[in-house]
Amino acid sequence: MKHLLYSLFFIILIDLTFQRCANPGRPTGGPKDTIPPTLINSAPLNGTINYKEKTLVLEFSEYINADKLKQQLIITPSTDINYKSIAKRNKLEIKLESDLKDSTTYNFNIANGVTDITEKNPAVNLSIALSTGPYIDSMSVQGSVEYLMNKEAGSQFVVGLYPISDTLDILAEKPMYFTTANDSGKYQINYIKTGNYKIISFQDDNGNFLLDPETEPHGFLADTIQLDSATQLPVIRCVLQNIKPLSLINTRSVGGYVEIKFNKRIESFEIEPYIPFNIIGDVNDVVRLYKPKQINFEDSITSIVQAIDSINNSIKDTIKYVFIKSNRKPSGFSYSIKQRNIQLTDTNRININFNKPIDTFYRDKISIQSDSTFYQNITTQSYWNYNKTELELLINLTENYYDSLIIALTPTDTLESDSSSTSKSSPEIQFVIEKGTFISVESDTAKRNSLEIKKSVIKPRGELNVVLNTDHKKFIFQLLDSNDDVSHQIKDSKEFSIKTIKPGKYKIRILIDSNNDGTWSYGNLFQNIEPEEVYIYQEQTSIRENWVVELDISF
């Protein structure tokens, strides 16, 4: 019996050893596999008509992986049919869970959904077209997608065709036919039924094949696509803009205020009769009303309000509301100044933003001070925005004025030992906004604030001379810095010089006001208005210290 057990153990050990050796593994060494799997057979065959089955079987030249098929398989025209897929060795089986629509041409585009199992090389241009009717639809469109403002390729943008109808809702409907632009922004949609279509492209970040204009750049062609032959289309130019119609969501009393909420960012607002207000919220989509002194709590008020968004959509409505007395402490009053210091120039612009509307401004509390030994009021010009939450101050300070202050404030022995009026021992001079300068609509004030006054330091600059050759009458010349921010901007001039440019590398963009209305437009999908033209000068412009660059541009 003991010998029998030893014999059985020996047989099992040999069997396990051979099984282990027989298991396929990835070979080591040798060149890297760069060849993608190719389709060698399919059932049905590409171009099959009168197809009534619910299973597709694709056979490849090597073992495959299809783990990402659900994310990559594109079936057009758009369908809600669910399917299951099984990849085994070199075969892929797709089982539809319901019947395809009758007399319809379908295209199953695998995209990058099938790869080999070693290096994950995706199958290229893999698609199967079939028809449940007696013929294959053969129309096609092709073109390219780009970003409007810099002409870069719209890589991986969805491009969709929507059948023209009276009930077409772009934001609620998925495209009937669609594809994804390649890395160069180029696309092609095949096997389309003859008809009239709207074409739209968008960056489908959430993968739901629905345009979300709040977060997804998009573009379109205004003209209807009339498909009766293969068609090459103009470039689709895309930009991020929230085209949703502006609407008022609600009006409610909150902690002593009345707040009006909209569905998107508000650029300007009016209320009649006038009530002090501020635009607040993470995306500036709420208007906060402050109780005027002449209105009592619990008084019923009726107002007409009008709001405008960033693309000039406007809404006008009548609202009814009351201010409710609250034990909640009013929000604190503060303001911010964009500038950190003041340079000695003919005109200093100081921009101040307030978190509440201003009721009273005491300009005599603005002064020039130094070390608590010198105080002098200063004359300023002031410009308020429409709801008194932003103030621009214009201040004239010359170097002669600064030098006279330095001499007056610097001890005599310091001047004798150091003739430089800007020595380290020179007193610090400040532009001061005292506490109580601004009183808000809630009768509170903000703390004292000050900005240092400095002599302007002359830094080397470059100069750009430009001649524009164009038949366009209205346009905007823009010089863009390395961050693509607008450094200088010139309107409607065909010959000009920019003399004080910081050295660096720049791009040139020209916004063409095609309809000559004085405003360049991003367009609007709902109004079927395409963006106006943008010209990008292809060569990068280098500005160097004390150099003059001459440019002759035709567009």
Side-chain angles (χ1 to χ4, degrees):
M1 184 68 180
K2 188 174 182 181
H3 291 292
L4 180 59
L5 289 174
Y6 279 132
S7 299
L8 285 172
F9 176 76
F10 182 70
I11 291 171
I12 292 171
L13 181 62
I14 293 175
D15 184 60
L16 289 173
T17 302
F18 276 101
Q19 284 187 26
R20 186 177 298 171
C21 293
N23 281 340
R26 181 173 174 176
T28 58
K32 182 179 178 179
D33 179 13
T34 60
I35 301 175
T38 57
L39 185 67
I40 59 176
N41 195 17
S42 69
L45 295 173
N46 188 42
T48 295
I49 60 174
N50 297 315
Y51 185 73
K52 305 301 180 184
E53 305 298 326
K54 293 192 290 186
T55 302
L56 287 77
V57 179
L58 285 66
E59 184 178 358
F60 294 88
S61 58
E62 56 182 307
Y63 284 13
I64 61 165
N65 180 293
D67 291 345
K68 295 184 178 179
L69 187 68
K70 280 287 186 182
Q71 293 83 18
Q72 297 291 328
L73 176 61
I74 297 174
I75 305 175
T76 55
S78 180
T79 176
D80 293 328
I81 294 177
N82 292 321
Y83 64 88
K84 294 180 179 179
S85 63
I86 301 172
K88 188 175 182 180
R89 297 180 182 272
N90 68 328
K91 288 186 178 180
L92 172 65
E93 189 175 279
I94 300 173
K95 293 185 175 182
L96 306 177
E97 296 183 356
S98 53
D99 293 329
L100 296 170
K101 184 186 284 188
D102 191 32
S103 300
T104 303
T105 297
Y106 287 91
N107 185 37
F108 292 77
N109 191 325
I110 306 297
N112 294 325
V114 172
T115 67
D116 60 33
I117 62 171
T118 55
E119 298 294 343
K120 305 299 183 184
N121 298 306
V124 180
N125 297 326
L126 177 57
S127 65
I128 298 292
L130 57 87
S131 175
T132 56
Y135 60 88
I136 295 281
D137 291 325
S138 58
M139 298 299 101
S140 67
V141 294
Q142 60 181 331
S144 62
V145 181
E146 67 182 23
Y147 286 96
L148 172 66
M149 301 307 287
N150 59 19
K151 304 295 185 184
E152 292 181 1
S155 172
Q156 304 306 308
F157 272 54
V158 165
V159 183
L161 289 174
Y162 301 75
I164 297 294
S165 70
D166 294 336
T167 60
L168 176 60
D169 185 346
I170 294 298
L171 302 186
E173 296 182 28
K174 295 180 180 180
M176 175 176 284
Y177 297 96
F178 57 90
T179 189
T180 303
N182 64 20
D183 290 343
S184 300
K186 298 186 182 301
Y187 68 88
Q188 183 165 332
I189 308 177
N190 298 315
Y191 306 108
I192 308 169
K193 186 176 183 179
T194 300
N196 297 331
Y197 298 90
K198 182 77 175 175
I199 189 166
I200 300 173
S201 180
F202 54 94
Q203 190 178 51
D204 191 24
D205 292 331
N206 54 17
N208 65 356
F209 292 98
L210 292 172
L211 169 60
D212 180 0
E214 293 185 63
T215 61
E216 297 174 347
H218 65 276
F220 64 98
L221 298 180
D223 292 339
T224 298
I225 311 301
Q226 299 177 333
L227 278 184
D228 51 18
S229 62
T231 304
Q232 175 72 42
L233 297 177
V235 175
I236 302 175
R237 299 167 297 143
C238 298
V239 68
L240 177 62
Q241 62 168 337
N242 188 352
I243 59 170
K244 284 185 177 180
L246 180 61
S247 62
L248 192 157
I249 296 177
N250 58 46
T251 301
R252 61 176 186 158
S253 297
V254 182
Y257 308 109
V258 171
E259 293 185 349
I260 310 168
K261 184 171 178 58
F262 294 86
N263 68 326
K264 58 193 297 191
R265 180 186 180 91
I266 299 300
E267 294 297 325
S268 66
F269 179 83
E270 294 179 5
I271 182 167
E272 183 65 36
Y274 181 78
I275 302 286
F277 69 90
N278 194 11
I279 299 176
I280 64 172
D282 292 339
V283 291
N284 286 2
D285 59 350
V286 174
V287 175
R288 172 177 286 180
L289 304 182
Y290 297 81
K291 187 185 79 67
K293 295 175 183 177
Q294 67 271 23
I295 292 178
N296 298 316
F297 287 111
E298 308 298 338
D299 284 353
S300 179
I301 308 168
T302 300
S303 294
I304 298 174
V305 298
Q306 183 172 6
I308 298 176
D309 67 13
S310 61
I311 55 174
N312 291 320
N313 289 325
S314 177
I315 183 173
K316 193 171 186 178
D317 206 347
T318 300
I319 61 172
K320 294 184 179 181
Y321 54 96
V322 295
F323 289 98
I324 299 176
K325 195 168 187 178
S326 172
N327 292 326
R328 185 186 300 181
K329 186 178 179 181
S331 59
F333 176 42
S334 63
Y335 62 89
S336 60
I337 302 176
K338 183 178 180 180
Q339 292 76 9
R340 294 184 179 180
N341 55 61
I342 300 177
Q343 299 289 329
L344 291 171
T345 60
D346 289 340
T347 303
N348 278 278
R349 297 178 184 273
I350 298 177
N351 300 100
I352 307 176
N353 292 291
F354 303 87
N355 70 333
K356 297 180 185 181
I358 298 303
D359 180 74
T360 308
F361 169 34
Y362 293 101
R363 64 177 63 245
D364 61 349
K365 289 182 175 291
I366 295 178
S367 62
I368 299 293
Q369 298 184 25
S370 176
D371 297 337
S372 301
T373 61
F374 179 83
Y375 181 99
Q376 179 175 316
N377 290 116
I378 186 168
T379 302
T380 63
Q381 292 177 280
S382 57
Y383 300 92
W384 289 96
N385 70 333
Y386 60 96
N387 64 333
K388 298 195 77 172
T389 59
E390 297 176 13
L391 173 65
E392 182 180 66
L393 295 176
L394 270 61
I395 305 167
N396 296 324
L397 292 172
T398 65
E399 293 211 8
N400 289 336
Y401 177 80
Y402 180 91
D403 290 339
S404 64
L405 285 175
I406 291 293
I407 293 171
L409 294 170
T410 303
T412 306
D413 56 346
T414 303
L415 288 176
E416 292 175 351
S417 60
D418 187 349
S419 59
S420 173
S421 62
T422 59
S423 66
K424 291 184 179 180
S425 60
S426 297
E428 185 180 272
I429 300 176
Q430 294 181 328
F431 171 83
V432 177
I433 300 175
E434 295 288 357
K435 182 178 181 179
T437 301
F438 303 106
I439 308 297
S440 81
V441 292
E442 295 189 293
S443 301
D444 48 6
T445 187
K447 64 182 181 180
R448 180 180 186 272
N449 216 324
S450 63
L451 301 175
E452 185 180 356
I453 299 176
K454 292 184 176 181
K455 263 196 169 183
S456 48
V457 179
I458 300 175
K459 296 181 180 179
R461 290 291 188 261
E463 181 176 336
L464 177 64
N465 295 332
V466 180
V467 175
L468 301 178
N469 303 300
T470 181
D471 292 329
H472 295 286
K473 296 179 180 179
K474 297 285 186 179
F475 51 85
I476 303 171
F477 173 94
Q478 294 181 330
L479 190 65
L480 310 179
D481 63 20
S482 57
N483 296 319
D484 284 344
D485 294 327
V486 178
S487 168
H488 295 79
Q489 181 167 289
I490 307 292
K491 289 188 69 173
D492 305 332
S493 178
K494 295 184 179 181
E495 188 170 348
F496 53 86
S497 296
I498 305 175
K499 298 185 179 298
T500 56
I501 306 175
K502 183 179 179 180
K505 296 185 181 298
Y506 292 84
K507 300 175 187 175
I508 290 173
R509 179 173 66 199
I510 300 175
L511 310 181
I512 302 173
D513 179 12
S514 304
N515 61 7
N516 295 321
D517 67 350
T519 303
W520 183 86
S521 171
Y522 286 98
N524 189 310
L525 174 60
F526 286 151
Q527 298 173 10
N528 202 37
I529 301 173
E530 289 186 43
E532 293 190 276
E533 293 295 326
V534 176
Y535 172 82
I536 303 292
Y537 185 59
Q538 294 302 315
E539 298 180 22
Q540 192 176 60
T541 302
S542 294
I543 302 297
R544 299 165 63 182
E545 295 180 1
N546 303 319
W547 279 59
V548 177
V549 177
E550 307 274 352
L551 287 182
D552 196 301
I553 301 174
S554 298
F555 66 95

